[in-house]
Amino acid sequence: ETSKKEKIINDQKLSLTRRQTMLTVFGAAIVLLSLLALFAILRFRLKQKAAAELAVKNERIETLIRELQHRVKNNMQLISSLLSLQGSSLQDTKARAAVQEGQMRIEAMSLIHRKLYLKNDISEVNIRDYLETLVQNLVAAYRPHPDQVRLVLESDNINLAVDTAVPLGLITNELVTNALKYGMSAPEPLLTVRLRLSREGLCKLTVADNGLGAHTPDAASGGLGMKLVMVLAAQIHASVSIRNEAGLIVDITQSSL
């Protein structure tokens, strides 16, 4: 009988020990889970704080860049106005034309910054909207009767990075200026500006006119206008093709990025 009672007591002690062990393990697990949860909460709060600080910094940087774009735009407009005043005071026709071309180049770059300043995204510009404004401004500047020029402007509705948009805009400025100066001899002048984007994301710009007789871009034998086109085309990894087919056709085709 004593042995039975001792066995029962030992079994009860063993059961109690097991329960205590389970409680200890369970308690340790709860403590560990609590520590993990606390660590996760602290990490989440740190991430939130870091994200908030980064957002504030990004906002400040964007504000500074917008302010920079605004100042660049204003400075370019000031330079353009100075060139306009200088040109109007010149008596020499060639000198006045050279100053006007310089002014239009400044305007082409200034227009990029104006478009960027008005957008939420300050790294890209809508190229169709930009080309429409640029070409219309050039026609109004170089043709005494802009309505007499039939303008065909076709462009994919795409956003281009500033590094590509600026050279492409300046190339367009040079080619359209050349067409307006030398390619409007037909009875019904036609100016075509076309920009297409390939599946690979590469641009192809075409500027064409229906000028009578064979003519080449402004001083194609080494003048400033064509030199600028060649340099800017190389900058965006593009080739330049010039041909006469019932007028002058110039293709600027990107071959790589």
Side-chain angles (χ1 to χ4, degrees):
E1 189 66 24
T2 301
S3 297
K4 288 181 179 180
K5 289 181 179 181
E6 288 180 352
K7 184 178 180 182
I8 292 173
I9 292 172
N10 290 333
D11 288 344
Q12 290 177 346
K13 288 182 178 180
L14 181 60
S15 177
L16 181 60
T17 301
R18 288 177 177 175
R19 288 181 181 178
Q20 289 178 341
T21 303
M22 289 178 64
L23 288 174
T24 302
V25 172
F26 185 69
I30 291 177
V31 171
L32 180 61
L33 289 175
S34 299
L35 290 174
L36 291 173
L38 180 61
F39 176 75
I41 292 172
L42 290 175
R43 186 177 179 183
F44 177 72
R45 288 182 177 178
L46 288 174
K47 283 186 176 181
Q48 277 190 323
K49 184 179 179 181
E53 291 176 351
L54 183 60
V56 171
K57 289 181 180 179
N58 288 340
E59 186 176 354
R60 289 177 180 174
I61 292 172
E62 185 173 341
T63 301
L64 290 174
I65 293 176
R66 286 189 177 278
E67 180 63 24
L68 178 63
Q69 296 285 7
H70 183 61
R71 292 186 180 184
V72 170
K73 173 181 69 70
N74 289 344
N75 289 338
M76 286 188 171
Q77 287 177 343
L78 177 60
I79 295 172
S80 177
S81 299
L82 291 174
L83 288 174
S84 179
L85 290 172
Q86 183 68 38
S88 63
S89 65
L90 294 174
Q91 300 300 322
D92 186 270
T93 304
K94 291 184 178 180
R96 191 185 305 117
V99 171
Q100 184 184 20
E101 289 179 7
Q103 180 189 357
M104 298 313 298
R105 290 175 184 128
I106 294 294
E107 285 290 335
M109 291 186 288
S110 176
L111 183 60
I112 288 281
H113 293 281
R114 289 203 296 272
K115 297 292 184 184
L116 289 174
Y117 185 71
L118 296 175
K119 287 176 76 276
N120 292 327
D121 188 351
I122 56 178
S123 63
E124 294 181 333
V125 63
N126 185 281
I127 196 65
R128 183 169 70 181
D129 179 50
Y130 169 71
L131 288 180
E132 286 179 356
T133 306
L134 175 64
V135 174
Q136 289 170 359
N137 288 348
L138 289 169
V139 172
Y142 283 99
R143 305 305 298 175
H145 304 288
D147 294 340
Q148 294 179 358
V149 179
R150 187 159 68 92
L151 177 62
V152 177
L153 181 57
E154 300 174 353
S155 174
D156 291 335
N157 190 20
I158 55 175
N159 292 328
L160 291 182
V162 177
D163 291 345
T164 301
V166 171
L168 204 58
L170 289 172
I171 290 172
T172 304
N173 179 82
E174 297 300 323
L175 296 178
V176 170
T177 297
N178 177 80
L180 292 172
K181 289 170 63 178
Y182 305 111
M184 300 289 104
S185 56
E188 295 182 358
L190 171 64
L191 173 62
T192 302
V193 179
R194 183 179 296 109
L195 180 69
R196 292 288 182 255
L197 194 69
S198 68
R199 293 181 179 179
E200 295 77 19
L202 302 175
C203 295
K204 180 178 181 179
L205 172 70
T206 299
V207 178
D209 62 64
N210 64 341
L212 300 177
H215 61 287
T216 56
D218 182 359
S221 59
L224 177 60
M226 200 55 195
K227 284 181 179 179
L228 283 174
V229 170
M230 292 299 184
V231 170
L232 293 167
Q235 187 175 329
I236 58 174
H237 307 287
S239 60
V240 181
S241 171
I242 303 172
R243 63 189 188 277
N244 274 286
E245 295 178 7
L248 184 71
I249 303 175
V250 182
D251 291 320
I252 309 294
T253 308
Q254 276 189 311
S255 56
S256 63
L257 292 176

